[in-house]
Amino acid sequence: MDLEFTPEEAEFRQRARDWLAAHVPPRPLPSLETAEGFTAHRAWERELAADRWSVVSWPEEYGGQGADIVKWLVFEEEYYAAGAPGRVSQNGINLLAPTLFDFGTEEQRARVLPAMATGEVIWAQAWSEPESGSDLASLRSTARRTDGGWLLSGQKTWSSRAAFADRAFGLFRSGPGEPHGTAADRPAKPHHGLTYLMFPLDADGVTVRPVGRLDGKPAFAELFLDDVFVPDEDVIGEPGQGWRIAMSTTGNERGLTLRSPGRFLAAADRLVRQWRARTDTADTALRDRVADAVIGARAYELFTWANASRFTAGGTIGAESSLNKVFWSEYDIALHETALDLLGPDGELLDGSPADGPDWTEGYVFSLAGPIYAGTNEIQRDIIAERLLGLPKGRR
Amino acid sequence: MDLEFTPEEAEFRQRARDWLAAHVPPRPLPSLETAEGFTAHRAWERELAADRWSVVSWPEEYGGQGADIVKWLVFEEEYYAAGAPGRVSQNGINLLAPTLFDFGTEEQRARVLPAMATGEVIWAQAWSEPESGSDLASLRSTARRTDGGWLLSGQKTWSSRAAFADRAFGLFRSGPGEPHGTAADRPAKPHHGLTYLMFPLDADGVTVRPVGRLDGKPAFAELFLDDVFVPDEDVIGEPGQGWRIAMSTTGNERGLTLRSPGRFLAAADRLVRQWRARTDTADTALRDRVADAVIGARAYELFTWANASRFTAGGTIGAESSLNKVFWSEYDIALHETALDLLGPDGELLDGSPADGPDWTEGYVFSLAGPIYAGTNEIQRDIIAERLLGLPKGRR
Amino acid sequence: MRFLLDDEQREFARSLDAMLTAADTVAAARAWGAGEHGPGRAVWARLADAGVFALPVPEEYEGVGPLSVETAVAFVELGRHAVPGPVVETVAAAVLLAQLAEAGEREPAKRFLPSLASGAASATLTLPQSGPLALDADAADLVLTAVDGELRLAPGHARVRRSLDPARRLAAPLPGGELLASGPAVTAAARHATAWAALATAAQSLGVGLALLDRTVAYAKQRAQFGAPIGTFQAVKHRLADVLVRLEFTRPLVFGAATTLAPGDVAAAKVSAGESAYGAARAALQLHGAIGYTAEFDLSLWLTKARALRGAWGDPGVWRERVLAARE
Amino acid sequence: MRFLLDDEQREFARSLDAMLTAADTVAAARAWGAGEHGPGRAVWARLADAGVFALPVPEEYEGVGPLSVETAVAFVELGRHAVPGPVVETVAAAVLLAQLAEAGEREPAKRFLPSLASGAASATLTLPQSGPLALDADAADLVLTAVDGELRLAPGHARVRRSLDPARRLAAPLPGGELLASGPAVTAAARHATAWAALATAAQSLGVGLALLDRTVAYAKQRAQFGAPIGTFQAVKHRLADVLVRLEFTRPLVFGAATTLAPGDVAAAKVSAGESAYGAARAALQLHGAIGYTAEFDLSLWLTKARALRGAWGDPGVWRERVLAARE
């Protein structure tokens, strides 16, 4: 049992640190949930990609460095410690790319991944629909067979990044048995007959309606699809097998790659600095919450190192990813609540944070989505209780 | 809307205060969950009763002063502020007496109440059974008809005070349809056919097995009943109507009379004093929790005054008593956890508290039972959600 | 001892509720956040007609007060309906001026109180116990500062800054301006005004919490997931039950503070209302899921307001300290 | 970077678990609380055979260590099985003596360490960072004090006091006694011993939490109320899920602290283990209901121990302060 890095890992860390020190913008970019900020963040992705830092864990042929999971985590630590910008490409990199690596064709990977790595194509996800929140099996949007491809129709919602992104990916019902919201008329196996497709957001028949989140920023969009043509080459895996494919992706979403410890370590460090800088140092009332932020970041880091070690040793992660999801999402909110309380009267301002890092209020708003998306924490707790603790299923 | 007392109420308060100042023992009595302490507390009940302070809200004919609810609350405030002993008679006074006032006969009241008021007869409650915790309708102990009375058989458990008490009251199945634990063979209406009876704990056929709570003190007992004869005069209300009668009592148990605000006000005051007396006054980390203890005590006091005013104006309290139960039971634990943390290393000792009031550790152990008894807080939350918020029943 | 609202007070609440329900306060709040004060001013005019702004003002200055319980009754309704604008600050300014008058400084009261009481003018202010920013300094008719023992009419305000609550816009009053009064009476009056500001904020928070709970309960009854209304899930039920417990134990603290105006009671009400309304917001967002996270869904007005009011006029940590200070 | 127990460490845990399962540790704990140390000493003898007490002791003094990770592995099992006695204190005493030896003060180590390593002797102690009471001062073979820069063999102990945890009996060592060493080396060694005590207590707490969770999950599967196992109720499921989340994020903190022995890591492990095991105890009691509240039901051994260990060697507040102090 050790927490030591090999000389090669240490060298990799130093290389990352040096590059970031030389390239990270001196002041935060505008919010990536604005048109201006989106453009600035896309340029940053290009800059990262130019020196192969945008997708370090990918094979070199697609723009990466073939880094293993330990190096990837080291990179993330350095990335956030350096105060580098948020990643506008993260939906593509974290959700679509793993699917392509596992289920895509060689041709699809060669076509999609390099442009994703450079930020030339930014991807949005298109899972949810108005009547199906966490109940993904109840999707209604359809893919109808046509010559050489499919016609997509229906409505998608909570599509992150779609306000400004280029392309999207999601599930569409291509088989029999369209489901409805109530128990009585749901098909017995509603997750059958779904197909995983990629489509351009500027195609004929696509209407994108940006939707503002709590602070008004258009962090996602509604997509209205009216006979949108998608060629066969943009189907991932077999038609009708989309559920299985997507589950592997959403497992990923909850698992290791969604929130890297580096982000929380950097935030906790900053919190300690700001707590120490308070004028009224005799008042230790917030001390325990700041300490809990430090403890939680370290716990998450070590939990992640344990998982990484398990992966490296050939293990897998299953329902345990639900532990991860519940932990980081609640931790993230508590951390930001503490930061806002430290700001005092400025804590309610949309631009009230010290300039030494991202805006706490924007981070707070972002954190509030954590317990909701990628399977609500209520569902995660059901999974933990049933699959990890073995409690009986059935009633809720 | 006012919080002023009438001159008469103020005079009553002064009279109570004076009496208590003259009579409250200078040092805490031994724990009432011990044989020695039980005797001492019984003597204290007699002393209270001698000057009509043991049951101030009862009619004078039974030993009370006919105090209305406002005066009763005033008395309780003074009682706890004076550091007076816990009430060993409380099961009888709070649970049995209201039932007798509502459902008992004149003869029963005359026979039972005066001896209860003086502490000559101390009552234990005998509700629960091994297989029925919060699911009271699943009781199995039986009352069989016999000449001039009933024969009780079965087992009761969690019988508070029964280790040392004189008599007990509870529900027994006298009608058809004995229930079992599983859904399949439960009678359709398991709460039918129950009868409310009083019986002596030293009767033939009664075996009392004291049961220690977490700190080892025999705070309750198991009762084994083997054809225990009870005369008809000790049935309360109609045979078979016990459920309805008991529900009125358990409603009471959760409602106003179970925990008087005076107890929490006195405890919060003491907590503030001890917090101020800490050597390390610069450390304010516990300050917020001490403040919350003060806020909670005031909230509970004012909530109770509002209810008292509603009663006085002819109103009633129904499912709202579940709000009360959840609040005070969780408040009580938080208050004691704060007190133990203030004690530092002494917080784990069974005799580690300053002598200016009851032992905090014993109070902590007592508080832990709060969310469990008189209907678990889980059940209370179901009641709140369904009856007060109108959320749909059915699944849990 | 009659710790209950009387019939008249209940009727006042009901009539305000009915009036505000008809007034499209949601549209007014959204416009206010966009810097269009017209619809909000129309709501204020109705509140003025209902006598809300006369409540803290003594009869001598054309008010009907000071009536702190009725003020709390009104502010619960203002919170429930997400009414925008410097409502708390206008009350605090009125109390400040009235208190100064009582201490002998009558000129400012004569000059400003009648128009505040009638609703003809709104006010905002900064006090030693508030932050450096004044709510809606760009919209209020009167911008006061009462720091360092000097009451001044601010000559303007710095750049308007946006709050997490879109209907709250804050700006620092510019220093200087006409000196209206000075000395220890100003400091004492500011302290009294702070108590009223905290009380009004607490009442408003309670109303916000109640609105969040109502809307979430209604949503949980109709929103289906996994083939059943989510309100049948025990996790949902229990979370909402806990919200109700906290709000129902905040209510007596708010009206207790309104009845006694004792420093400890005001502080307790501010802490409990801030925390319980924020707890209601957290639950409301979680149980609504993604729809609740959008600005266009009306729930967002209350969600963000609950957070902002928790910190307005001092966050719970500040007021917990005062709970204990009041016992010294 | 391999943050995983290796096969040998896992096998060590498994064999301890099997041995303790067979040893009737519950009966030993109950007897210990009644002042009968025989059964507990028998358990200790088995632990000694398994090499547990040699883990913190250097080879020079007939130990196999110091092996902090293996010590943590062992203490998780000690917690899971509610083993009574001054286990933490014996480890801390061994570390103190070994550390003193390293600083040149070798006599006390030569005199006492071999018997501690073999399990022939047990120890208890007070340090500047502990409270004034020593656990099981009436049962330990060696009672040390290392306050004010002086290491002494206590000449006895004051009255034995009972803890909420019936298996914990505490007493203040009497002042004076044979002086074994003095000076800054004692102070430094005491600090190092405190870190090991905190680590061992954290590991033990984690084990206590895991045992509470296991027992409660098993109970929830079989206990029926309202016609169904209570483990089908979502409120029960979610509460247990939260307990698991907290314990599974405590585990890496405990083994991280064992790996680095860094002050910040030790402090974090102590806080997290104390709080999460206590949270497990609160959930376990609530979900068991009245049966869990009785001393005769075995669960009570872990319930009370979780609370006592949360405060032992400093409560979470004390250690939160040290988490931040370690970053200065």
Side-chain angles (χ1 to χ4, degrees):
Chain A
M1 189 148 219
D2 74 75
L3 285 161
E4 314 269 300
F5 296 98
T6 64
E8 193 202 334
E9 286 160 354
E11 184 274 333
F12 175 85
R13 182 189 290 275
Q14 192 58 50
R15 210 155 49 78
R17 188 177 294 177
D18 292 345
W19 188 90
L20 288 160
H23 291 80
V24 168
R27 13 184 38 201
L29 301 184
S31 165
L32 66 79
E33 312 293 4
T34 63
E36 178 200 7
F38 200 88
T39 304
H41 281 78
R42 194 196 284 265
W44 168 249
E45 292 290 321
R46 190 165 48 238
E47 196 171 344
L48 279 170
D51 290 323
R52 295 188 173 273
W53 291 111
S54 70
V55 286
V56 291
S57 62
W58 289 8
E60 296 195 15
E61 59 183 304
Y62 302 124
Q65 300 191 31
D68 64 12
I69 190 162
V70 172
K71 281 190 191 154
W72 177 73
L73 288 164
V74 165
F75 173 73
E76 292 280 306
E77 236 175 75
E78 292 300 320
Y79 189 87
Y80 285 102
R87 299 295 304 273
V88 70
S89 286
Q90 69 179 8
N91 279 320
I93 293 172
N94 289 346
L95 304 180
L96 178 59
T99 305
L100 286 173
F101 281 118
D102 286 352
F103 298 95
T105 64
E106 198 61 53
E107 182 277 327
Q108 285 173 329
R109 283 193 283 270
R111 177 160 50 89
V112 172
L113 295 177
M116 185 190 290
T118 60
E120 185 189 332
V121 175
I122 308 277
W123 291 82
Q125 46 111 326
W127 298 128
S128 294
E129 297 182 5
E131 294 304 313
S132 69
S134 292
D135 188 6
L136 209 55
S138 68
L139 295 178
R140 299 181 186 197
S141 291
T142 56
R144 251 181 22 257
R145 198 80 187 92
T146 187
D147 274 0
W150 301 77
L151 293 171
L152 307 186
S153 289
Q155 187 183 347
K156 294 284 180 181
T157 188
W158 322 126
S159 182
S160 307
R161 305 277 181 274
F164 307 111
D166 307 297
R167 294 176 65 85
F169 54 93
L171 290 186
F172 292 83
R173 188 160 296 282
S174 58
E178 299 196 10
H180 293 85
T182 61
D185 55 1
R186 269 166 76 112
K189 301 192 168 174
H191 48 285
H192 283 196
L194 295 168
T195 295
Y196 198 128
L197 294 120
M198 304 181 281
F199 57 98
L201 286 168
D202 60 356
D204 282 351
V206 178
T207 307
V208 177
R209 189 179 80 82
V211 175
R213 67 179 178 194
L214 284 180
D215 61 0
K217 299 201 176 95
F220 26 62
E222 280 186 318
L223 307 179
F224 299 91
L225 306 168
D226 183 10
D227 279 349
V228 177
F229 177 75
V230 175
D232 281 331
E233 68 190 42
D234 282 344
V235 172
I236 303 180
E238 290 297 306
Q241 295 297 308
W243 177 260
R244 193 170 59 87
I245 299 169
M247 282 304 96
S248 106
T249 308
T250 56
N252 217 326
E253 189 181 7
R254 283 198 298 273
L256 261 185
T257 57
L258 192 60
R259 282 282 182 287
S260 65
R263 185 164 166 274
F264 296 129
L265 290 167
D269 268 347
R270 187 172 166 222
L271 205 56
V272 173
R273 283 198 307 277
Q274 292 184 4
W275 173 68
R276 282 201 210 292
R278 292 194 91 187
T279 43
D280 184 7
T281 50
D283 184 350
T284 56
L286 277 166
R287 187 194 67 201
D288 284 0
R289 290 166 63 194
V290 174
D292 282 340
V294 171
I295 295 168
R298 181 66 169 157
Y300 189 69
E301 181 192 15
L302 291 170
F303 185 89
T304 305
W305 286 126
N307 275 335
S309 301
R310 205 165 291 134
F311 273 131
T312 306
T316 56
I317 185 168
E320 292 81 4
S321 67
S322 293
L323 298 171
N324 214 25
K325 165 77 204 297
V326 170
F327 184 85
W328 70 248
S329 59
E330 303 208 329
Y331 169 80
D332 201 19
I333 292 177
L335 172 103
H336 281 91
E337 287 176 339
T338 304
L340 294 188
D341 282 353
L342 268 170
L343 287 175
D346 287 352
E348 71 168 296
L349 299 179
L350 290 184
D351 58 356
S353 297
D356 65 340
D359 188 77
W360 285 122
T361 307
E362 178 157 5
Y364 165 71
V365 170
F366 183 68
S367 77
L368 288 176
I372 294 170
Y373 74 96
T376 65
N377 283 14
E378 285 76 18
I379 288 174
Q380 306 297 347
R381 289 193 178 91
D382 283 345
I383 292 172
I384 292 168
E386 291 168 10
R387 299 201 208 154
L388 297 178
L389 296 176
L391 290 167
K393 273 200 177 201
R395 297 163 76 165
R396 279 209 167 75
Chain B
M1 188 148 220
D2 74 76
L3 286 161
E4 315 268 300
F5 296 98
T6 63
E8 193 201 334
E9 287 159 354
E11 183 274 334
F12 175 84
R13 181 188 290 277
Q14 192 59 50
R15 210 156 47 81
R17 188 176 296 177
D18 293 344
W19 188 90
L20 289 160
H23 290 80
V24 168
R27 13 184 39 201
L29 301 184
S31 165
L32 66 78
E33 311 293 3
T34 62
E36 177 200 8
F38 201 88
T39 305
H41 281 79
R42 195 197 284 265
W44 168 249
E45 292 290 322
R46 189 164 50 239
E47 194 171 344
L48 280 169
D51 290 324
R52 294 188 173 273
W53 290 110
S54 71
V55 286
V56 291
S57 62
W58 290 8
E60 296 194 14
E61 59 184 303
Y62 302 124
Q65 300 192 30
D68 63 13
I69 189 162
V70 172
K71 281 189 192 153
W72 177 72
L73 288 164
V74 164
F75 173 73
E76 292 281 305
E77 237 175 74
E78 292 300 321
Y79 189 86
Y80 286 102
R87 300 293 305 273
V88 70
S89 287
Q90 69 179 8
N91 279 319
I93 293 172
N94 290 345
L95 303 179
L96 177 59
T99 305
L100 287 173
F101 281 119
D102 287 352
F103 298 95
T105 64
E106 198 61 52
E107 183 276 329
Q108 285 173 328
R109 282 192 284 270
R111 177 160 50 88
V112 171
L113 294 177
M116 184 189 293
T118 59
E120 185 191 331
V121 175
I122 307 278
W123 290 82
Q125 45 110 327
W127 296 129
S128 293
E129 297 182 6
E131 294 304 312
S132 69
S134 291
D135 188 5
L136 209 56
S138 67
L139 296 178
R140 300 181 185 196
S141 292
T142 55
R144 252 183 19 261
R145 199 79 186 95
T146 187
D147 273 1
W150 301 78
L151 293 171
L152 308 186
S153 290
Q155 186 183 347
K156 294 284 181 181
T157 187
W158 321 128
S159 184
S160 307
R161 306 276 180 277
F164 308 110
D166 307 297
R167 294 177 65 86
F169 54 93
L171 290 186
F172 292 82
R173 189 161 294 282
S174 58
E178 297 195 13
H180 295 84
T182 61
D185 55 0
R186 269 166 75 112
K189 300 193 169 174
H191 47 286
H192 283 196
L194 295 168
T195 295
Y196 198 128
L197 294 119
M198 304 182 281
F199 57 97
L201 286 168
D202 59 357
D204 282 350
V206 177
T207 308
V208 177
R209 188 179 80 82
V211 175
R213 67 179 178 195
L214 284 180
D215 62 0
K217 299 202 176 95
F220 26 60
E222 281 186 318
L223 308 179
F224 300 91
L225 306 168
D226 182 11
D227 280 349
V228 178
F229 177 76
V230 175
D232 281 330
E233 67 190 42
D234 282 345
V235 171
I236 303 179
E238 289 296 308
Q241 294 298 308
W243 177 260
R244 192 171 59 88
I245 298 170
M247 283 304 97
S248 105
T249 307
T250 57
N252 216 327
E253 190 182 7
R254 283 199 298 275
L256 262 186
T257 56
L258 191 60
R259 283 282 183 286
S260 67
R263 185 163 166 275
F264 297 128
L265 291 166
D269 268 347
R270 186 172 166 222
L271 204 57
V272 173
R273 283 198 307 277
Q274 293 185 2
W275 172 69
R276 282 201 208 292
R278 292 194 91 185
T279 42
D280 184 5
T281 49
D283 185 350
T284 57
L286 278 167
R287 186 194 67 202
D288 284 0
R289 291 166 63 194
V290 174
D292 281 339
V294 171
I295 295 167
R298 182 65 168 157
Y300 189 68
E301 180 192 17
L302 290 169
F303 185 89
T304 305
W305 286 127
N307 275 336
S309 301
R310 205 165 291 132
F311 273 131
T312 307
T316 56
I317 187 168
E320 291 82 4
S321 65
S322 294
L323 298 172
N324 213 26
K325 165 78 203 297
V326 171
F327 183 86
W328 69 250
S329 58
E330 304 209 328
Y331 169 80
D332 200 19
I333 293 176
L335 172 103
H336 281 91
E337 287 176 338
T338 305
L340 295 187
D341 282 353
L342 268 170
L343 287 175
D346 288 350
E348 71 167 296
L349 300 179
L350 291 183
D351 58 355
S353 296
D356 66 338
D359 188 76
W360 285 121
T361 307
E362 177 156 5
Y364 165 70
V365 170
F366 184 67
S367 77
L368 289 175
I372 294 170
Y373 74 95
T376 67
N377 282 14
E378 286 75 17
I379 288 173
Q380 307 297 348
R381 289 193 177 91
D382 283 344
I383 292 172
I384 291 168
E386 292 169 10
R387 299 201 208 154
L388 297 178
L389 296 176
L391 289 167
K393 274 201 178 200
R395 297 161 77 165
R396 278 209 168 75
Chain C
M1 165 62 57
R2 188 194 148 86
F3 190 53
L4 273 183
L5 294 176
D6 63 28
D7 291 343
E8 206 172 330
Q9 289 162 335
R10 282 165 203 277
E11 181 48 36
F12 181 49
R14 264 192 300 269
S15 68
L16 282 178
D17 181 29
M19 184 272 277
L20 291 168
T21 301
D24 200 355
T25 51
V26 164
R30 292 197 182 278
W32 193 274
E36 297 161 25
H37 300 124
R41 289 219 168 93
V43 173
W44 275 57
R46 292 189 184 206
L47 291 170
D49 287 347
V52 168
F53 299 111
L55 295 172
V57 179
E59 289 183 23
E60 196 179 342
Y61 301 100
E62 301 177 24
V64 298
L67 293 174
S68 49
V69 172
E70 283 73 9
T71 301
V73 167
F75 272 77
V76 171
E77 297 307 318
L78 296 181
R80 285 186 58 219
H81 291 277
V83 169
V87 280
V88 168
E89 291 69 21
T90 297
V91 164
V95 169
L96 176 77
L97 295 168
Q99 195 72 8
L100 263 183
E102 204 153 290
E105 293 267 15
R106 308 169 60 87
E107 275 317 305
K110 280 190 199 162
R111 182 168 157 199
F112 299 114
L113 269 184
S115 59
L116 291 180
S118 72
S122 62
T124 191
L125 77 177
T126 57
L127 301 178
Q129 296 83 359
S130 71
L133 303 180
L135 183 67
D136 293 313
D138 62 332
D141 299 299
L142 199 61
V143 181
L144 301 173
T145 62
V147 288
D148 300 326
E150 292 186 340
L151 177 65
R152 288 180 183 272
L153 199 54
H157 61 82
R159 146 177 103 87
V160 172
R161 303 179 68 179
R162 290 184 52 217
S163 158
L164 178 66
D165 174 356
R168 286 171 63 90
R169 300 152 54 87
L170 299 112
L174 294 179
E178 182 188 344
L179 183 67
L180 301 173
S182 65
V186 171
T187 306
R191 204 175 305 122
H192 193 62
T194 299
W196 276 69
L199 169 63
T201 305
Q204 196 182 4
S205 293
L206 172 60
V208 167
L210 292 169
L212 286 162
L213 178 61
D214 284 352
R215 282 169 180 258
T216 308
V217 166
Y219 185 76
K221 288 178 186 170
Q222 55 94 349
R223 167 72 168 176
Q225 288 276 279
F226 304 100
I230 62 169
T232 60
F233 298 139
Q234 200 182 28
V236 172
K237 285 184 177 178
H238 284 200
R239 187 140 188 199
L240 290 171
D242 280 332
V243 170
L244 184 66
V245 169
R246 295 182 68 185
L247 291 172
E248 287 304 330
F249 278 85
T250 294
R251 194 193 294 273
L253 284 173
V254 167
F255 287 104
T259 302
T260 70
L261 284 174
D265 280 347
V266 169
K270 179 68 171 76
V271 172
S272 184
E275 298 285 31
S276 62
Y278 181 56
R282 287 287 312 276
L285 174 56
Q286 183 63 24
L287 300 183
H288 275 82
I291 185 81
Y293 191 66
T294 60
E296 66 191 44
F297 191 67
D298 289 343
L299 187 79
S300 64
L301 297 176
W302 286 271
L303 287 176
T304 53
K305 196 177 292 298
R307 176 78 206 171
L309 292 181
R310 177 180 174 280
W313 291 95
D315 71 18
V318 167
W319 287 98
R320 283 195 176 94
E321 198 167 351
R322 292 179 190 162
V323 165
L324 293 175
R327 305 205 135 212
E328 268 170 5
Chain D
M1 165 61 58
R2 188 194 148 86
F3 190 53
L4 273 182
L5 294 177
D6 62 29
D7 290 344
E8 205 171 329
Q9 290 162 335
R10 282 165 203 276
E11 180 48 38
F12 180 50
R14 263 192 301 270
S15 69
L16 282 178
D17 182 29
M19 182 272 277
L20 291 168
T21 300
D24 201 356
T25 52
V26 163
R30 292 197 180 279
W32 193 274
E36 298 161 24
H37 300 124
R41 290 219 168 92
V43 174
W44 275 57
R46 292 189 183 206
L47 290 171
D49 288 346
V52 168
F53 298 111
L55 295 172
V57 178
E59 290 183 21
E60 196 178 343
Y61 302 99
E62 302 178 24
V64 298
L67 292 174
S68 49
V69 172
E70 284 73 8
T71 301
V73 167
F75 271 78
V76 171
E77 297 307 318
L78 296 181
R80 285 185 58 219
H81 291 277
V83 170
V87 279
V88 168
E89 291 69 20
T90 297
V91 164
V95 168
L96 176 77
L97 295 168
Q99 194 72 10
L100 263 184
E102 203 153 292
E105 294 267 17
R106 308 168 61 86
E107 275 317 305
K110 282 191 198 161
R111 182 167 158 200
F112 299 113
L113 269 183
S115 61
L116 290 181
S118 71
S122 62
T124 191
L125 77 178
T126 57
L127 301 178
Q129 296 84 359
S130 71
L133 302 180
L135 183 66
D136 292 314
D138 60 333
D141 300 299
L142 199 60
V143 181
L144 300 173
T145 61
V147 289
D148 301 326
E150 292 185 341
L151 176 64
R152 286 180 184 272
L153 199 56
H157 60 82
R159 147 177 101 88
V160 173
R161 302 179 67 179
R162 289 186 51 218
S163 159
L164 178 65
D165 174 356
R168 285 171 64 89
R169 298 150 55 86
L170 299 113
L174 293 180
E178 182 188 344
L179 182 68
L180 301 173
S182 64
V186 170
T187 306
R191 204 175 305 122
H192 193 63
T194 300
W196 277 70
L199 169 63
T201 305
Q204 195 182 5
S205 294
L206 172 60
V208 167
L210 291 169
L212 287 163
L213 178 60
D214 285 352
R215 283 170 179 258
T216 308
V217 166
Y219 185 77
K221 287 178 186 170
Q222 55 94 350
R223 168 72 169 176
Q225 287 276 280
F226 304 101
I230 63 169
T232 60
F233 297 138
Q234 200 181 29
V236 172
K237 285 183 178 179
H238 283 201
R239 187 140 187 198
L240 290 171
D242 280 332
V243 170
L244 183 66
V245 169
R246 295 183 68 184
L247 291 173
E248 287 305 331
F249 278 85
T250 293
R251 193 193 294 272
L253 285 173
V254 167
F255 287 104
T259 303
T260 69
L261 284 173
D265 280 348
V266 170
K270 179 69 170 74
V271 171
S272 184
E275 297 286 31
S276 60
Y278 182 57
R282 286 287 311 276
L285 173 56
Q286 183 63 23
L287 300 183
H288 274 81
I291 184 82
Y293 190 67
T294 59
E296 65 191 43
F297 191 66
D298 289 343
L299 187 79
S300 65
L301 297 177
W302 286 271
L303 287 176
T304 53
K305 195 177 293 298
R307 176 79 206 171
L309 291 181
R310 177 181 173 279
W313 291 94
D315 71 19
V318 167
W319 287 98
R320 283 195 176 93
E321 198 166 352
R322 293 179 190 164
V323 165
L324 294 175
R327 305 208 135 209
E328 267 170 5

